[in-house]
């Protein structure tokens, strides 16, 4: 069940309510419906709230490789459920492409004028290794 955020007359956040109750408050004139900058519908009370008690709220995360779940729950109801799609497949593909391009760059650095026995690996980087 979805919940509608509630804000007091002064702008203090209160516990969310059921959509049916929020509609009733707006129709009766006890609240005014508004939209936040993020596009979330909420109601602002025009009268003092009956209580300003806050319930403890818990957040749970179910991590996964391709998908993760997030849940926000109070003692009475579930306030929010999210299903996150993670970029694992896209990142894996890009890392494989990066490795392939790196291998092709390293292959172009080999000096092909020397005999094969001396060029089938990466060239020595320092002068001190030439005497060995």
């Amino acid at each position: 069940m979805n919940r509608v955020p509630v804000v007091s007359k002064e702008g203090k956040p209160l516990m969310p309510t059921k959509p049916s109750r929020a509609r009733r408050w707006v129709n009766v004139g006890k609240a005014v419906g508004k939209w936040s900058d993020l596009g979330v519908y909420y109601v602002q009370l025009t009268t003092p709230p009956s209580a300003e008690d806050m319930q403890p709220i818990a957040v749970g995360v179910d991590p996964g490789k391709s998908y993760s779940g997030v849940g926000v729950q109070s003692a009475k109801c579930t306030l929010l459920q999210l299903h996150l799609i993670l970029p694992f497949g896209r990142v894996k593909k890009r890392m494989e492409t990066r490795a392939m391009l790196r291998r092709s760059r390293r292959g172009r650095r080999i000096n092909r004028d020397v005999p094969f026995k001396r060029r089938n690996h990466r060239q020595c980087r320092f002068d001190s290794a030439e005497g060995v």
Side-chain angles (χ1 to χ4, degrees):
M1 174 188 290
N2 292 335
R3 294 288 171 156
V4 178
V6 179
V7 178
S8 69
K9 193 172 186 178
E10 295 80 29
K12 180 182 173 189
L14 302 171
M15 288 300 292
T17 187
K18 298 187 287 187
S20 59
R21 184 179 294 156
R23 278 193 303 272
R24 191 173 351 118
W25 288 349
V26 171
N27 291 338
V28 172
K30 186 177 178 183
V32 177
K34 294 187 176 185
W35 291 92
S36 70
D37 293 336
L38 297 175
V40 177
Y41 180 78
Y42 69 97
V43 292
Q44 183 172 15
L45 297 176
T46 56
T47 61
S50 60
E52 293 189 4
D53 299 335
M54 299 292 273
Q55 296 174 11
I57 295 176
V59 177
V61 179
D62 181 19
K65 187 173 184 179
S66 298
Y67 304 96
S68 287
V70 179
V72 180
Q73 191 161 359
S74 69
K76 292 186 176 182
C77 67
T78 301
L79 301 172
L80 181 66
Q81 292 177 338
L82 299 174
H83 181 77
L84 305 174
I85 301 171
L86 302 176
F88 175 76
R90 185 172 59 226
V91 171
K92 182 179 175 186
K93 182 179 172 189
R94 288 179 182 171
M95 294 299 286
E96 289 170 354
T97 304
R98 186 173 95 171
M100 182 184 64
L101 293 174
R102 180 173 182 267
R103 284 193 298 271
S104 67
R105 282 194 307 272
R106 288 184 70 176
R108 289 194 297 262
R109 283 196 299 247
I110 295 176
N111 184 3
R112 306 218 184 264
D113 295 334
V114 295
F116 180 77
K117 284 181 106 176
R118 298 189 59 208
R119 68 174 160 97
N120 62 349
H121 62 289
R122 193 172 72 142
Q123 301 300 313
C124 295
R125 294 178 59 199
F126 303 106
D127 293 338
S128 61
E130 288 180 6
V132 177

